[in-house]
């Protein structure tokens, strides 16, 4: 193998991959927690609250995620200098805004698919609204949320590449910076273009992560529904 | 950056020409990509649903590769990696090719699922009535399966429109690139982001509203 390969691969795997995984993990957990809460609240009757959450969901599902990333990365600091985040954190926040909107919509559907008798039975047993949802409704709704949840994970991992647009070093940006480095003259680079090999390598890493997950989502969909 | 200096109307009146050009480019790329992904989705989806040898397997590979790699990586491959193989696409070509390939892959899954949802006995009835295989597809599978796949394929078209914003990375002057570049010079960041937010939401929301109308018009009789 040519000499340039080893440092490039090492940089992508040690600098890029952990960042992609970290951004994705934060975004998935944040989206799940906020999304389930908002989605459950979407099923209650109080209109102003529902309208507010509905607006949140429609706005962040409607915007291109890149625009949301720009809003967090460029827009928030322009509003208040205390809200300045690094590219990776800003991407995580944007992905949580988008992902939680997706989860909220899915949760609303899942909660509403639980028969009314379950609510009534739980209420008859003395559960309040919170206990009823936490102990009876949501555990049943989770089953329906699992397949779209895995699909969301795949989407979040792939969309974490948006960090590259604002200079955050994740898999894609790591590949890009190595591609650029190799085009420099020695000692920094070797004065050659290897964009194809490097971006193909990045694509392969994403494929190896995503493919088993999309299979899993399809399998769960078949089994749980 | 001063919040008191926020002036949306001044921003729009100074830059509306460029912003409009950007919007037109967004719509242009979106229109090409929607038409393209409709054609790709219909043909490859039909090939997969009917298990046409070779085409069906190649489609599966195409779909899995596109679905399991980020679209941004695909754009980088087209724009930064292909020139190494001597293929140079300009920004506009890269833009529509990238979103068409992406939308086509998702859409062929949408159409495949729709065609496969058509009960087998409908097709058998078509064949029994003397339609050939193509005739059965055009008269039975397509009108029924096409409508079943309509909601999911329209969601794909909406994603295609949103994904045109990614052409910022190759500097194609669609709406996002235009607005962000204006803001980079004038420092009117919040105004530019407001315009982007309003225009994209107006686009996406009106598309989804139009869709609901089309959906109810074209719905199968038993679903009305």
């Amino acid at each position: 193998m040519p000499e340039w390969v080893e440092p490039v691969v090492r940089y992508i795997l040690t600098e890029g991959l952990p960042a992609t995984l970290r951004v994705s993990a934060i975004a998935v957990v944040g989206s799940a927690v906020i999304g389930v809460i908002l989605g459950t609240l979407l099923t209650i009757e109080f209109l102003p609250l529902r309208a507010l959450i509905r607006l949140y969901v429609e706005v962040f599902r409607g915007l291109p995620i890149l625009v949301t990333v720009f809003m967090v990365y460029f827009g928030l600091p322009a509003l208040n200098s205390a809200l300045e985040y690094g590219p990776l954190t800003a991407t995580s926040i944007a992905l949580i805004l988008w992902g939680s909107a997706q989860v909220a919509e899915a949760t609303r559907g899942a909660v509403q698919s639980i028969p009314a008798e379950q609510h009534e039975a739980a209420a008859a047993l003395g559960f309040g609204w919170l206990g009823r949802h936490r102990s009876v409704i949501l555990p049943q709704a989770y089953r329906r949320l699992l397949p779209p949840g895995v699909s969301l994970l795949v989407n979040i991992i792939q969309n974490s590449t948006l960090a590259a647009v604002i200079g955050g070093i994740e898999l894609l940006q790591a590949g890009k910076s190595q591609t650029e480095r190799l085009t420099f003259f020695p000692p920094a680079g070797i004065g050659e273009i290897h964009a194809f090999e490097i971006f193909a390598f990045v694509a392969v890493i994403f494929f190896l992560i995503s493919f088993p997950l999309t299979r899993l989502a399809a399998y769960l969909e078949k089994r749980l529904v | 950056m001063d919040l008191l200096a926020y002036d949306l109307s001044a921003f729009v009146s100074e830059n509306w020409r460029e912003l409009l050009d950007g919007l037109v480019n967004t719509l242009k790329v979106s229109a090409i990509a929607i038409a393209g992904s409709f054609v790709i989705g219909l043909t490859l989806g039909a090939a997969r649903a009917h298990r046409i040898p070779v085409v069906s397997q190649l489609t599966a590979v195409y779909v899995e590769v596109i679905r399991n790699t980020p679209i941004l990586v695909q754009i980088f491959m087209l724009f930064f990696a292909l020139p190494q193989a001597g293929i140079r696409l300009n920004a506009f070509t890269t833009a529509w090719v990238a979103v068409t390939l992406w939308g086509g892959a998702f859409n062929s899954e949408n159409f495949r699922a729709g065609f496969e949802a058509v009960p087998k006995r409908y097709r058998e009835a078509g064949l029994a009535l003397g339609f050939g295989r193509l005739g059965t597809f055009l008269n039975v599978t397509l009108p029924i399966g096409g409508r079943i796949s309509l909601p999911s394929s329209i969601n794909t078209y909406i994603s295609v429109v949103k994904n045109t914003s990614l052409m910022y990375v190759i500097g194609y002057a669609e709406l996002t690139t235009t607005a962000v570049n204006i803001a980079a010079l004038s420092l009117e960041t919040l105004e530019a982001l407001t315009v982007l937010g309003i225009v994209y939401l107006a686009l996406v929301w009106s598309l989804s509203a139009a869709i609901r109308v089309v959906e109810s018009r074209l719905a199968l009789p038993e679903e009305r």
Side-chain angles (χ1 to χ4, degrees):
Chain A
M1 213 175 288
E3 215 172 288
W4 63 267
V5 173
E6 197 268 327
V8 169
V9 168
R10 185 153 40 94
Y11 182 79
I12 292 175
L13 292 183
T14 58
E15 297 290 322
L17 184 60
T20 291
L21 296 179
R22 203 168 54 237
V23 168
S24 306
I26 294 170
V28 164
V29 172
S31 304
V33 172
I34 297 172
V36 166
I37 294 173
L38 291 181
T40 311
L41 291 175
L42 260 180
T43 62
I44 65 177
E45 294 297 316
F46 186 56
L47 192 67
L49 178 70
R50 223 173 48 198
L52 211 64
I53 300 175
R54 176 54 52 200
L55 182 70
Y56 173 91
V57 169
E58 294 301 330
V59 165
F60 290 112
R61 279 191 355 150
L63 288 175
I65 311 177
L66 181 61
V67 173
T68 310
V69 168
F70 285 157
M71 285 180 170
V72 174
Y73 190 67
F74 298 123
L76 290 183
L79 278 175
N80 184 337
S81 54
L83 298 174
E84 201 170 330
Y85 302 102
L88 292 178
T89 311
T91 307
S92 302
I93 295 172
L95 288 175
I96 288 175
L97 290 170
W98 172 79
S100 61
Q102 303 281 18
V103 174
E105 187 61 24
T107 304
R108 183 194 57 78
V111 166
Q112 283 177 344
S113 74
I114 306 297
E117 290 84 357
Q118 296 284 334
H119 286 270
E120 292 159 8
L125 286 171
F127 282 111
W129 186 88
L130 197 62
R132 195 163 81 219
H133 281 85
R134 207 182 51 202
S135 310
V136 181
I137 306 300
L138 285 177
Q140 299 183 69
Y142 283 139
R143 280 173 62 88
R144 283 168 202 263
L145 285 178
L146 210 51
V150 177
S151 301
L152 179 82
L153 175 61
V154 176
N155 274 324
I156 282 183
I157 292 171
Q158 299 193 354
N159 282 320
S160 67
T161 52
L162 290 172
V165 180
I166 49 175
I169 296 176
E170 41 66 69
L171 275 172
L172 180 58
Q173 181 67 19
K176 187 168 179 250
S177 70
Q178 287 301 302
T179 306
E180 283 161 4
R181 181 181 65 81
L182 288 185
T183 60
F184 296 147
F185 289 112
I190 53 173
E192 290 174 17
I193 298 173
H194 291 288
F196 195 86
E197 297 94 318
I198 292 175
F199 289 129
F201 177 64
V202 170
V204 167
I205 299 174
F206 275 107
F207 188 87
L208 291 178
I209 299 172
S210 303
F211 187 69
L213 289 171
T214 51
R215 295 290 91 190
L216 177 68
Y219 169 78
L220 290 173
E221 185 109 33
K222 256 190 206 141
R223 252 201 62 178
L224 293 177
V225 175
Chain B
M1 303 203 192
D2 190 355
L3 258 190
L4 292 174
Y6 183 86
D7 191 343
L8 186 60
S9 60
F11 179 81
V12 173
S13 64
E14 274 165 37
N15 302 299
W16 69 271
R17 256 171 234 282
E18 283 166 81
L19 291 169
L20 194 65
D21 284 345
L23 177 61
V24 168
N25 283 340
T26 290
L27 295 176
K28 201 161 66 182
V29 171
S30 301
I32 298 173
I34 288 173
S37 50
F38 173 76
V39 174
I40 294 176
L42 185 68
T43 41
L44 296 186
R48 274 201 92 185
H50 292 83
R51 308 218 152 57
I52 294 173
V54 187
V55 185
S56 187
Q57 283 80 3
L58 288 178
T59 304
V61 173
Y62 160 61
V63 169
E64 294 303 339
V65 168
I66 297 288
R67 277 209 305 188
N68 290 297
T69 56
I71 180 169
L72 211 48
V73 175
Q74 295 158 22
I75 296 169
F76 274 45
M77 279 300 260
L78 286 176
F79 197 70
F80 299 116
L82 277 191
Q84 202 185 324
I87 305 168
R88 275 171 204 286
L89 307 177
N90 63 28
F92 171 66
T93 312
T94 307
W96 71 259
V97 169
V99 275
T100 305
L101 283 178
W102 186 89
F106 279 82
N107 221 12
S108 57
E109 274 300 281
N110 299 332
F111 275 106
R112 181 186 65 81
F115 295 147
E116 284 180 351
V118 177
K120 207 175 154 210
R121 58 177 192 279
Y122 288 16
R123 264 197 283 161
E124 289 165 353
L127 292 169
L129 285 171
F131 288 118
R133 280 190 70 177
L134 186 65
T136 307
F137 175 74
L138 291 175
N139 293 296
V140 180
T141 315
L142 180 60
I144 300 172
R147 290 180 200 184
I148 297 172
S149 59
L150 201 64
S152 53
S153 62
I154 288 172
N155 278 329
T156 299
Y157 302 143
I158 295 182
S159 299
V160 162
V161 175
K162 291 196 274 181
N163 277 338
T164 59
S165 65
L166 296 174
M167 301 315 153
Y168 173 78
V169 296
I170 56 170
Y172 177 65
E174 44 68 68
L175 183 64
T176 304
T177 311
T178 308
V180 172
N181 285 350
I182 295 173
L185 285 178
S186 68
L187 298 183
E188 293 164 300
T189 314
L190 291 174
E191 290 87 342
L193 289 171
T194 311
V195 169
L196 283 181
I198 292 173
V199 177
Y200 277 113
L201 287 179
L203 259 179
V204 169
W205 286 353
S206 49
L207 260 177
S208 7
I211 280 151
R212 257 170 257 140
V213 176
V214 175
E215 239 172 59
S216 63
R217 286 265 171 86
L218 290 181
L220 293 170
E222 62 260 37
E223 283 165 16
R224 268 190 198 145

